[in-house]
């Protein structure tokens, strides 16, 4: 281990020792300990069980199930995916209608006020009104997030990505989180923040999927007695993948894009049948949103609104390109990567500052209101001092054109970008005719909005970064197209500003979030791969989530399982004393979740049993009573375990009498008799590949005689990474 640099401290359990100040976890309420010397936070996370426990109960249930029963389960999976798509599309429709109406009222009131005071003087009153309205909306959104459900903050994409990777993020898929997320994103967008409503749709779809697939609501304590077979982490994970894809589809009207997003950015585990079910959920989501929006717009059956954001339709001539333009697109991709890296670096240090100092709910609400007021003030100032006036033509598509100091029949071009919802601003940058913006207007807007969006992302509000990224890129992309048309011969013919706005939007989105959806140019990803991680990966790292990437660190082949495993391991005998089990589970200094079952004396492994299984066994008093030579035991079924899932009771809530402590418990029927094991000389990359590909929570390390010598968990693997000094190890703080 001499070649590993030990850089940071990472707590695998609740660390109550001194040496740092305790602060709330970013976008959550879990307590963390900030380590001053390295600038990283440490926190507690558990893993999910994505590997089925093939114990005797599971095998017996499978043997009893008929061919028709298996077909019914498969049909149920498709029905659930259809329900997920329908409900996700319905939620997206509600968000869209609410945002459009609230933002429309706000901009109408402010516009009337500005027009009134432009003539008589006193525009400062209009500025105050705009700032107060923004702050009021944002205050409501920030209060419900900070005080009622911190897990609803942000877009939720990093949390869902971690969940699909196998990390149990507290409260990430609860009904309360969904309600706060929906209400919060409506207030954030209506409050004029530099955010979008599309990102949180992915989180919303995932929450819907997690709830529908279980056939009950643990928050409402309502059990519908349906879909009971799917009450386990493996099945739930697949449905959450479908929910995330349905959210993308509802947001952008792209079912294929939803599948690609869930495959590329979300799901760590995949299969072919899952692809078709996810695509089905995505199509239903898009159709549902289209259908209800057509009714709302008094055009029943007109399915022309594909998603929450409609970029409009480009004419084929306006987006046609020539061979000599491809190098220009490559340059734009590289520029998007550089700007994205700058955005991520600035947001990284801002987030570190928030973790240190802005950790109380009241401070988080005040910061959100401050950003809302500053956004309104900066927007008003940019519009006020702009003299970019454009003629108001008969085909004018602006929703809230401001005349301000322009002549009659003209409107302020800067107001088109600032005095609008971000989605409409993107559309105007894509489709407004050449000459609608001058270069100075676009330059100032890009610079201002870049820093506003960077400051906004990470606030304690429900908001996404998709639309701000697209808006920033569309602004500098259109500027690039205008400059090309001005400095090149015949540039006005081929350098269409809308086309370059589209390319800039794709480049900027890829530069910030490192995605390769249909909007993103491939060259952008390569630029960012050289410069740094995507924004979601940065926030995952800041939360110290033990996220397992695709591959183990490149220089880790010389490390073996013996060096990375946790030891010594707490093991149980096949028939164990109840008092011993209760004492081990009650030991707060260890808080283990998986226990190898061994043959007495020899110590050879014969199975693996989970804490959750032991708690259910203790709750139902499944004890072996020694009455002379006769053994009696109560029969338990898989339904008892599924009924307790996912919120298993704590060991402290289970009463075990002194007489019961002397009883014995036979684990044979309930343990997994074939857990995955590796020899202690196995290299770290092989252990990593096996652990991640199979979605394991525990991997037992054995010696040449099949005796348990250690246990590998997610945190043991995630603590190794490549840093500036080569392979670095994050020390697990013990309690």
């Amino acid at each position: 281990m001499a070649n590993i640099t030990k850089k940071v401290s990472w707590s695998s359990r609740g660390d109550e020792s001194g040496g740092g100040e305790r602060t709330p976890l970013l976008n959550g309420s879990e307590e963390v300990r900030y380590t001053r010397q390295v600038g990283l936070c440490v926190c507690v996370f558990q893993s999910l069980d994505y590997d089925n426990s093939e114990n005797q109960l599971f095998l017996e249930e499978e043997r009893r199930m008929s061919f028709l029963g298996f077909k019914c389960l498969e049909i149920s999976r498709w029905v659930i995916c259809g329900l997920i798509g329908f409900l996700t599309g319905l939620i997206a429709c509600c968000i869209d209608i609410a945002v459009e109406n609230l933002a429309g009222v706000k901009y109408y009131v402010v516009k009337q006020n500005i027009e009134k005071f432009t003539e008589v003087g006193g525009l400062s009153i209009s500025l105050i009104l705009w700032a107060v309205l923004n702050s009021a909306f944002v205050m409501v959104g920030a209060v419900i997030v900070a005080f009622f459900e911190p897990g609803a903050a942000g877009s939720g994409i990093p949390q869902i990505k971690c969940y699909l990777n196998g990390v149990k993020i507290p409260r990430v898929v609860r009904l309360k989180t969904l309600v706060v997320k929906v209400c919060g994103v409506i207030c954030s967008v209506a409050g004029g923040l530099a955010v979008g409503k599309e990102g949180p749709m992915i989180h919303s779809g995932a929450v819907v999927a997690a709830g529908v697939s279980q056939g009950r609501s643990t928050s409402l304590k309502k059990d519908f007695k349906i879909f009971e077979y799917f009450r386990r982490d493996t099945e739930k994970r697949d449905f959450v993948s479908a929910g995330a894809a349905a959210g993308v589809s509802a947001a952008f009207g792209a079912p294929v894009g939803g599948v690609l997003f869930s495959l590329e950015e979300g799901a760590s585990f995949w299969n072919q049948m899952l692809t078709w079910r996810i695509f089905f959920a995505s199509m239903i989501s898009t159709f549902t949103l289209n259908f209800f929006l057509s009714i709302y717009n008094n055009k029943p059956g007109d399915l022309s609104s594909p998603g929450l954001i409609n970029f409009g339709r480009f004419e084929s001539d306006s987006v046609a390109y020539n061979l000599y333009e491809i190098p220009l697109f490559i340059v734009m991709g590289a520029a998007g990567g550089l700007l994205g890296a700058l955005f991520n670096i600035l947001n990284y240090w801002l987030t570190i500052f928030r973790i240190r100092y802005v950790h109380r709910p009241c401070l988080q609400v005040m910061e959100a209101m401050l950003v809302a007021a500053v956004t309104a003030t900066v927007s008003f100032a940019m519009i006020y001092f702009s003299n970019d006036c454009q003629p108001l033509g008969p085909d004018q598509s602006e929703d809230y054109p401001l005349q301000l100091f322009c002549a009659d029949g003209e409107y302020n071009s800067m107001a088109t970008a600032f005095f609008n919802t971000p989605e409409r601003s993107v559309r105007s940058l894509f489709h407004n005719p050449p000459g609608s913006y001058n270069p100075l207007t676009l330059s100032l807007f890009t610079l201002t909005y870049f820093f506003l969006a960077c400051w906004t992302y990470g606030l304690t509000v429900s908001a996404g970064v998709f639309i701000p990224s697209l808006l920033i890129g569309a602004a500098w992309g259109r500027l690039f197209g205008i400059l090309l048309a001005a400095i090149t011969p015949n540039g006005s013919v081929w350098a269409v500003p809308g086309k370059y706005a589209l390319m800039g939007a794709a480049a900027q989105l890829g530069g910030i979030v490192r995605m390769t959806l249909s909007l993103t140019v491939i060259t952008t990803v390569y630029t960012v791969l050289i410069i740094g991680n995507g924004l979601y990966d940065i926030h995952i790292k800041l939360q110290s989530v033990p996220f397992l990437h695709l591959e183990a660190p490149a220089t880790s082949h010389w490390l073996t399982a013996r060096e990375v495993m946790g030891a010594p391991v707490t093991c149980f005998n096949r028939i164990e004393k109840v008092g011993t089990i209760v004492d081990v589970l009650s030991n707060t200094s260890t808080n283990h979740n998986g226990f190898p079952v061994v043959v007495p004396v020899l110590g050879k492994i014969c199975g693996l049993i989970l804490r959750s299984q032991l708690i259910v066994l203790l709750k139902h008093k499944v004890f072996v009573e020694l009455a002379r030579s006769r053994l009696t035991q109560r029969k338990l079924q898989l339904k008892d375990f599924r009924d307790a899932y996912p919120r298993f009771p704590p060991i402290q809530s289970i009463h075990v009498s002194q007489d019961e402590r002397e009883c014995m418990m036979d684990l044979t029927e309930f343990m997994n008799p074939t857990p995955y094991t590796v020899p202690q000389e196995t290299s770290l990359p092989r252990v990593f590949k096996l652990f991640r590909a199979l979605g394991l929570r525990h991997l037992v390390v054995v010696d040449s005689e099949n005796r348990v010598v250690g246990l590998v968990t997610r945190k043991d693997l995630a603590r190794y990474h490549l840093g500036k000094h080569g392979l670095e190890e994050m020390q697990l703080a013990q309690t």
Side-chain angles (χ1 to χ4, degrees):
M1 302 291 283
N3 295 334
I4 301 178
T5 305
K6 297 182 180 180
K7 288 263 309 182
V8 299
S9 176
W10 189 351
S11 174
S12 62
R13 304 179 182 90
D15 190 353
E16 301 295 337
S17 57
E21 55 184 339
R22 296 183 63 80
T23 63
L25 176 64
L26 176 68
N27 291 350
S29 61
E30 291 296 304
E31 294 217 340
V32 303
R33 182 168 60 83
Y34 182 79
T35 310
R36 295 177 182 274
Q37 61 267 33
V38 294
L40 291 177
C41 59
V42 290
C43 51
V44 178
F45 290 101
Q46 298 295 337
S47 295
L48 294 164
D49 295 304
Y50 286 165
D51 179 45
N52 289 326
S53 178
E54 297 180 347
N55 54 25
Q56 292 183 18
L57 297 181
F58 177 83
L59 297 177
E60 287 174 6
E61 182 185 66
E62 197 172 70
R63 278 195 295 266
R64 288 195 304 266
M65 193 173 294
S66 63
F67 175 78
L68 182 61
F70 280 111
K71 285 297 180 183
C72 288
L73 284 178
E74 190 61 29
I75 293 172
S76 297
R77 291 188 177 96
W78 286 90
V79 170
I80 291 172
C81 287
L83 287 173
I84 290 169
F86 175 77
L87 293 176
T88 303
L90 205 58
I91 290 172
C93 182
C94 293
I95 291 175
D96 190 51
I97 293 173
V99 167
E100 289 299 319
N101 280 279
L102 289 176
V105 170
K106 184 191 76 172
Y107 286 123
Y108 176 79
V109 170
V110 175
K111 181 176 182 293
Q112 295 295 321
N113 195 272
I114 289 176
E115 290 176 348
K116 173 185 175 182
F117 286 103
T118 300
E119 300 175 358
V120 301
L123 278 173
S124 57
I125 298 177
S126 301
L127 168 60
I128 294 173
L129 175 64
W130 192 356
V132 168
L133 288 175
N134 274 15
S135 299
F137 279 121
V138 172
M139 181 187 70
V140 174
V143 165
I144 60 177
V145 171
F147 288 96
F148 293 98
E149 188 48 74
S155 67
I157 296 177
Q159 288 87 339
I160 295 303
K161 187 175 178 180
C162 292
Y163 181 90
L164 295 174
N165 189 257
V167 184
K168 186 177 182 179
I169 306 295
R171 300 180 302 277
V172 71
V173 289
R174 291 191 183 177
L175 178 62
K176 182 180 176 183
T177 304
L178 174 64
V179 174
V180 173
K181 174 73 75 174
V182 171
C183 297
V185 73
I186 291 172
C187 293
S188 300
V189 178
L193 292 177
V195 298
K197 58 180 180 287
E198 289 69 26
M201 275 309 306
I202 298 168
H203 189 185
S204 301
V207 179
V208 168
V212 170
S213 64
Q214 303 304 291
R216 67 178 177 186
S217 171
T218 51
S219 299
L220 301 177
K221 295 181 173 56
K222 181 68 174 177
D223 193 342
F224 298 98
K225 303 296 181 181
I226 56 175
F227 308 139
E228 293 179 326
Y229 182 84
F230 305 122
R231 294 177 184 177
R232 48 180 170 160
D233 289 336
T234 311
E235 297 283 354
K236 194 174 181 179
R237 172 199 66 201
D238 292 345
F239 290 120
V240 169
S241 298
V248 175
S249 181
F252 297 99
V256 175
V259 176
L260 292 176
F261 175 87
S262 194
L263 172 62
E264 172 197 13
E265 196 74 6
S268 301
F269 318 100
W270 202 260
N271 62 66
Q272 188 173 359
M273 282 306 298
L274 182 61
T275 305
W276 290 108
R277 289 200 298 268
I278 287 179
F279 184 60
F280 176 68
S282 300
M283 288 194 302
I284 295 295
S285 176
T286 302
F287 176 80
T288 302
L289 176 64
N290 270 273
F291 179 74
F292 283 102
L293 282 182
S294 68
I295 295 175
Y296 174 76
N297 294 322
N298 295 320
K299 298 178 181 178
D302 180 14
L303 307 180
S304 59
S305 300
L308 291 182
I309 178 170
N310 185 2
F311 295 122
R313 186 165 297 174
F314 287 88
E315 299 296 332
S316 57
D317 294 338
S318 64
V319 291
Y321 61 94
N322 299 294
L323 182 64
Y324 54 81
E325 290 184 89
I326 293 179
L328 297 175
F329 296 155
I330 294 175
V331 170
M332 292 183 71
L338 291 169
L339 288 173
L342 176 62
F343 185 100
N344 293 346
I345 290 171
L346 293 175
N347 188 263
Y348 171 82
W349 289 111
L350 180 61
T351 305
I352 289 291
F353 176 83
R354 285 182 174 132
I355 292 174
R356 285 186 182 181
Y357 304 111
V358 191
H359 49 76
R360 297 179 184 276
C362 55
L363 293 177
Q364 293 169 343
V365 173
M366 290 173 63
E367 185 197 16
M369 294 176 64
L370 174 64
V371 173
V374 169
T375 301
T377 303
V378 170
S379 302
F380 186 88
M382 298 293 286
I383 295 171
Y384 183 85
F385 291 107
S386 173
N387 57 1
D388 183 10
C389 297
Q390 301 294 335
L392 194 64
D395 58 343
Q396 178 60 41
S397 60
E398 308 305 328
D399 294 285
Y400 313 106
L402 278 180
Q403 180 181 353
L404 213 61
F405 301 119
C406 296
D408 291 339
E410 294 183 338
Y411 70 97
N412 190 299
S413 181
M414 183 70 82
T416 306
F418 274 115
F419 196 71
N420 228 329
T421 58
E423 290 85 352
R424 294 182 184 275
S425 299
V426 172
R427 199 179 309 142
S428 66
L429 287 169
F430 282 169
H431 298 289
N432 279 12
S436 300
Y437 300 90
N438 67 38
L440 180 61
T441 298
L442 290 175
S443 301
L444 292 174
F445 175 78
T446 302
L447 184 66
T448 306
Y449 204 82
F450 181 90
F451 289 106
L452 284 176
C454 186
W455 187 14
T456 303
Y457 190 77
L459 290 176
T460 311
V461 294
S462 299
V465 75
F466 275 86
I467 299 306
S469 303
L470 293 173
L471 184 52
I472 294 167
W476 67 258
R478 189 177 180 98
L479 174 63
F480 186 76
I482 292 173
L483 295 179
L484 279 178
I487 64 176
T488 57
N490 298 323
S492 58
V493 177
W494 56 268
V496 181
K499 173 174 62 178
Y500 283 88
L502 176 65
M503 300 304 295
Q508 190 65 57
L509 177 63
I512 291 177
V513 301
R514 263 192 63 186
M515 290 167 50
T516 53
L517 295 179
S518 56
L519 287 174
T520 309
V521 183
I522 295 296
T523 52
T524 309
V525 179
Y526 293 117
T527 306
V528 183
L529 283 173
I530 298 171
I531 298 172
N533 293 323
L535 187 62
Y536 300 141
D537 293 326
I538 288 175
H539 278 257
I540 289 172
K541 181 181 177 182
L542 284 171
Q543 296 183 40
S544 289
V545 178
F547 186 89
L548 298 183
H549 295 277
L550 289 174
E551 300 287 344
T555 60
S556 61
H557 286 80
W558 58 275
L559 277 173
T560 63
R562 183 177 60 249
E563 293 168 301
V564 303
M565 68 185 185
V569 182
T570 303
C571 300
F572 289 132
N573 295 320
R574 189 191 296 268
I575 299 179
E576 188 62 80
K577 191 177 179 181
V578 172
T580 303
I581 295 175
V582 172
D583 291 340
V584 170
L585 296 183
S586 303
N587 188 353
T588 56
S589 64
T590 55
N591 200 26
H592 297 310
N593 285 281
F595 305 93
V597 180
V598 297
V599 178
V601 183
L602 297 177
K604 294 184 178 181
I605 185 169
C606 62
L608 181 75
I609 194 159
L610 302 175
R611 167 183 287 266
S612 57
Q613 293 173 309
L614 291 171
I615 285 178
V616 173
L617 296 177
L618 289 171
K619 180 182 178 181
H620 290 273
K621 311 294 183 183
V622 186
F623 306 147
V624 175
E625 298 175 3
L626 295 176
R628 295 184 176 90
S629 61
R630 185 164 56 91
L631 296 179
T632 60
Q633 187 173 4
R634 178 186 169 187
K635 187 69 175 176
L636 210 63
Q637 296 179 345
L638 272 182
K639 184 180 184 301
D640 296 301
F641 294 91
R642 289 171 181 155
D643 288 342
Y645 175 85
R647 300 185 192 177
F648 295 97
I651 185 62
Q652 292 79 10
S653 66
I654 298 175
H655 175 70
V656 179
S657 66
Q658 193 62 38
D659 291 338
E660 290 173 336
R661 288 178 61 90
E662 301 301 321
C663 293
M664 305 298 289
M665 182 183 289
D666 190 352
L667 307 178
T668 306
E669 189 179 4
F670 311 103
M671 69 181 185
N672 183 2
T674 55
Y676 290 99
T677 62
V678 292
Q680 55 186 339
E681 299 302 327
T682 308
S683 67
L684 175 60
R686 294 180 72 86
V687 173
F688 189 98
K689 189 178 297 184
L690 178 67
F691 194 97
R692 189 185 187 281
L694 297 176
L696 302 181
R697 186 176 185 180
H698 305 96
L699 183 59
V700 183
V701 182
V702 297
D703 60 13
S704 58
E705 297 182 3
N706 210 32
R707 291 178 299 196
V708 179
V709 295
L711 197 66
V712 176
T713 62
R714 171 177 293 270
K715 297 182 182 76
D716 297 320
L717 299 176
R719 60 188 170 130
Y720 294 97
H721 68 103
L722 279 178
K724 296 179 180 179
H725 305 283
L727 190 62
E728 296 178 352
E729 176 189 1
M730 293 182 281
Q731 291 293 95
L732 296 177
Q734 304 295 331
T735 57

